[in-house]
Amino acid sequence: MQTGNGHRDIPYRTLGRTAEKVSAIGVGGFHLGLISDADESVRIVRTAIDHGITFLDNCWDYNEGQSEIRMGKALKDGYRHRAFLMTKVDGRSKKEAAKQIEQSLRRLQTDHVDLMQFHEVIRFEDPDRIFAADGAIEAFLEAKQAGKLRFIGFTGHKDPHVHLYMLETAARHNFQFDTVQMPLNLMDAHFRSFQHHVLPVLVKNNIGVLGMKSVGAGVILQSKTVTAIECLHYAMNLPTSVVITGMDKMEILEQAIQAARTFRPLSEDEVAKLLAKTAPVAAYGKFELFKTTSHHDSAAKNPDWLGEDLAEAEQLAKMVE
């Protein structure tokens, strides 16, 4: 990936211990598949890269593969080498993860991604399945050995203690992740907080921090307490390598570019004022439905995505009942 694109008004940060330089704002892949005009998705990705945003997020299950397909089209004509490309898979077994890795590469029209992550680590059994014999970690390590991915991470949105257990499980297997993705926003600071519980562990171990849900797909803005720019600036003010934000309209991309260009470190007083504005409405996760409901739990609604091991376990459980 080339980062010397001349857009120095977009801040770049080091991705943990990888030494990779990535844009402090990243393009979220999910929303690209929601746009009615596929060509508009391509235009958003290319415009983002042209303006210096290098980090691209995606996932095998986003919009039945359409998000990856559209991003793959956008990365043709020389754009691939200008981007740091990340995608995720849901498979928990080696067999399922390997299959999804290959499907993602085909859709993205590339022979490798810069970062591959385990998606939706939201259940305490997820780490055990991933690191079990014939678990998904084996598929990731083989893919890395084959040059199909460069770095390995995981993501989740439900409970910071699941993240901590994933890190503990990896350590027991003598493995350290390159990146971890999690919600970091002005509401999270007050409720079941990834910022308070997980972020210090990542910083201590020099693991790249990928912040997501900084505006909660717009839900946080419904609180009428903070603006989108304030949300993005707060997340960027944390020790994040990248703040990933969804972009389904050109004006949302322009908003993200503005946030990146105008960012400066916030003072303690500025942070305190933002937290004071959100504290009264943040309790119990009212504006973080990804923590308190199953609405965002895609794999939970599609257990076959996780692999045959889970399907067999569920069948056994039904037989026992």
Side-chain angles (χ1 to χ4, degrees):
M1 183 193 72
Q2 295 181 353
T3 57
N5 49 32
H7 294 281
R8 302 318 301 174
D9 49 353
I10 296 289
Y12 289 78
R13 296 175 175 177
T14 303
L15 185 64
R17 66 180 182 282
T18 69
E20 292 287 319
K21 292 289 187 179
V22 292
S23 55
I25 287 283
V27 177
F30 179 77
H31 290 77
L32 296 174
L34 300 177
I35 303 170
S36 57
D37 182 1
D39 291 338
E40 183 69 0
S41 301
V42 172
R43 189 163 76 96
I44 287 174
V45 173
R46 291 186 171 184
T47 301
I49 294 173
D50 287 339
H51 282 79
I53 295 177
T54 61
F55 193 97
L56 305 181
D57 156 274
N58 222 306
C59 182
W60 172 86
D61 71 43
Y62 284 169
N63 301 293
E64 299 181 341
Q66 282 302 308
S67 288
E68 287 186 328
I69 290 170
R70 293 180 180 191
M71 188 167 281
K73 292 179 179 177
L75 291 176
K76 295 170 67 175
D77 303 325
Y79 278 85
R80 172 67 185 94
H81 75 279
R82 297 167 59 189
F84 186 95
L85 180 60
M86 177 268 278
T87 196
K88 324 175 195 79
V89 301
D90 297 293
R92 299 300 186 245
S93 68
K94 178 180 179 180
K95 178 181 177 181
E96 192 65 26
K99 182 180 76 173
Q100 292 173 9
I101 289 170
E102 294 301 326
Q103 289 173 326
S104 288
L105 292 176
R106 287 196 298 271
R107 293 169 181 167
L108 292 165
Q109 300 186 50
T110 185
D111 61 356
H112 78 283
V113 293
D114 298 290
L115 170 63
M116 183 75 72
Q117 300 196 113
F118 298 106
H119 187 223
E120 270 190 21
V121 177
I122 61 175
R123 297 159 289 267
F124 276 101
E125 62 266 28
D126 285 333
D128 295 317
R129 288 196 172 106
I130 288 168
F131 282 94
D134 290 323
I137 188 64
E138 295 184 13
F140 273 50
L141 292 174
E142 288 185 6
K144 183 177 181 179
Q145 182 67 29
K148 297 176 181 179
L149 60 92
R150 299 173 60 210
F151 305 112
I152 297 174
F154 75 91
T155 178
H157 57 259
K158 187 66 67 180
D159 188 325
H161 294 95
V162 177
H163 268 52
L164 293 176
Y165 183 60
M166 182 66 156
L167 293 168
E168 292 167 5
T169 303
R172 286 203 311 272
H173 289 82
N174 299 311
F175 180 83
Q176 187 175 54
F177 288 103
D178 299 302
T179 62
V180 173
Q181 185 170 335
M182 58 190 182
L184 291 171
N185 59 63
L186 278 160
M187 301 297 175
D188 170 79
H190 304 289
F191 174 77
R192 203 187 291 170
S193 178
F194 287 85
Q195 174 184 335
H196 296 321
H197 294 294
V198 183
L199 187 58
V201 177
L202 303 184
V203 172
K204 178 182 178 181
N205 291 283
N206 199 19
I207 297 172
V209 179
L210 311 183
M212 65 175 173
K213 303 190 185 303
S214 53
V215 296
V219 175
I220 291 175
L221 303 182
Q222 295 176 17
S223 70
K224 307 295 184 183
T225 58
V226 285
T227 67
I229 296 293
E230 287 175 326
C231 289
L232 291 167
H233 280 177
Y234 177 82
M236 293 176 68
N237 194 63
L238 297 172
T240 49
S241 298
V242 185
V243 174
I244 299 164
T245 185
M247 303 173 184
D248 56 358
K249 298 177 182 178
M250 192 60 68
E251 51 262 42
I252 301 300
L253 167 59
E254 293 169 355
Q255 175 180 271
I257 292 171
Q258 178 190 357
R261 287 176 171 172
T262 59
F263 174 76
R264 56 175 177 76
L266 302 178
S267 68
E268 290 185 7
D269 183 59
E270 289 172 320
V271 170
K273 287 180 179 178
L274 288 172
L275 291 174
K277 288 198 295 183
T278 54
V281 299
Y284 310 111
K286 179 180 179 181
F287 295 96
E288 291 187 285
L289 299 180
F290 45 86
K291 292 181 181 177
T292 60
T293 74
S294 62
H295 179 68
H296 296 261
D297 304 350
S298 301
K301 301 169 187 175
N302 299 274
D304 55 305
W305 293 353
L306 302 179
E308 68 280 356
D309 293 344
L310 180 58
E312 291 172 3
E314 290 182 337
Q315 183 178 7
L316 179 61
K318 291 179 180 178
M319 292 172 64
V320 173
E321 288 178 354

